[in-house]
Amino acid sequence: MAEQWRVACVRIPRFPIAAVWRTRSARTSLLHPLPPSPPTPTHPPAQSLPRGKPLRENPPRKTPSHPQLHAVSAAPPSWDDALVALASDGKLRAVSGAAARAGVRSGMTALESRARCAALEILDWSDTAIASAIAELSAHFLIASPQVTPAVHEPGLWWIGAHGLEAMGGERMLVRALAELALAWHPRARVAVAGSCVAARAATWAAPGRGTGAAASFIVPAGGDAAYLAPAPLAMTGQVAMW
């Protein structure tokens, strides 16, 4: 019996902004490194010990509070919650979720967008930063599956082979692993598995919502693509390029 072909689709919203934002953050960290934290004493001075009592090992002491270290260890706010957009050739090509909620749209000029949102930060679109991020994340996806293909002209979308992985935990283990990697880039990243690229991409919109890898994934049962796509609009199925 022939093995049934299955494919996973990974969709990370507004991935180009994440790539450019991360590159800029890395450069900022290099330009402004944190100062070293002060050493922590392990034992009190000898004169502070009471007389007549044996020397005992001191209980563990907490590391002194350092505001800059706490700022780094705490999870940073999502870049999608910042008022930021990417522009090239004088027009916006991508906008964050916060900017979109403020009325900013792709295709606007800088003047038009700042008329809607004066606090908008406009960064240059960087093909180099985006390509580097795609290559890095693709390499991580290869750990979960040997077949990984970034979608052409659509950064933030991947087609990943999902068949023949039963020895590695099957589809459920695959979507969980892919979702955990994708969620590190955006809290609303989605992963879906189906028997065709069309169904797999459509199913990325059916994942329940924010959460762990399981909550960000959806699996169309084998042989169920036609039934799943029956209520989907034709415009959605026509936009998917074959893998």
Side-chain angles (χ1 to χ4, degrees):
M1 182 177 178
E3 185 180 38
Q4 190 169 22
W5 188 81
R6 300 280 284 171
V7 62
C9 178
V10 177
R11 179 176 58 82
I12 302 178
R14 296 179 280 277
F15 184 79
I17 302 180
V20 174
W21 182 275
R22 192 187 68 159
T23 299
R24 190 192 66 164
S25 299
R27 290 174 180 170
T28 302
S29 298
L30 290 175
L31 291 174
H32 304 286
L34 292 173
S37 57
T40 304
T42 56
H43 295 284
Q47 60 269 25
S48 64
L49 294 174
R51 293 185 177 183
K53 292 187 177 181
L55 179 65
R56 293 182 299 176
E57 186 177 350
N58 295 307
R61 307 180 73 181
K62 294 182 179 180
T63 304
S65 177
H66 195 296
Q68 287 182 295
L69 292 180
H70 282 298
V72 172
S73 61
S78 170
W79 53 264
D80 206 26
D81 294 328
L83 296 170
V84 62
L86 301 184
S88 67
D89 299 326
K91 291 190 176 182
L92 304 188
R93 292 185 61 179
V95 301
S96 67
R101 290 189 293 273
V104 179
R105 298 289 182 267
S106 295
M108 285 184 173
T109 65
L111 186 62
E112 290 172 328
S113 61
R114 287 204 169 104
R116 296 285 186 92
C117 179
L120 181 68
E121 181 179 9
I122 300 178
L123 305 177
D124 291 331
W125 179 281
S126 173
D127 288 326
T128 300
I130 296 168
S132 176
I134 290 174
E136 177 185 338
L137 193 47
S138 296
H140 288 300
F141 287 152
L142 281 169
I143 299 174
S145 172
Q147 300 171 325
V148 176
T149 304
V152 179
H153 305 309
E154 196 164 355
L157 191 74
W158 281 263
W159 304 115
I160 298 175
H163 55 283
L165 301 177
E166 288 74 14
M168 300 173 63
E171 294 178 358
R172 293 188 179 277
M173 186 64 69
L174 174 66
V175 295
R176 184 180 294 272
L178 296 176
E180 292 296 342
L181 290 169
L183 286 169
W185 288 81
H186 195 288
R188 294 186 180 87
R190 297 290 178 263
V191 179
V193 172
S196 67
C197 293
V198 176
R201 181 168 182 178
T204 61
W205 298 95
R210 289 174 181 249
T212 62
S217 59
F218 189 88
I219 297 177
V220 178
D225 284 22
Y228 181 78
L229 290 173
L234 293 176
M236 175 179 288
T237 61
Q239 290 176 355
V240 180
M242 293 305 294
W243 188 25

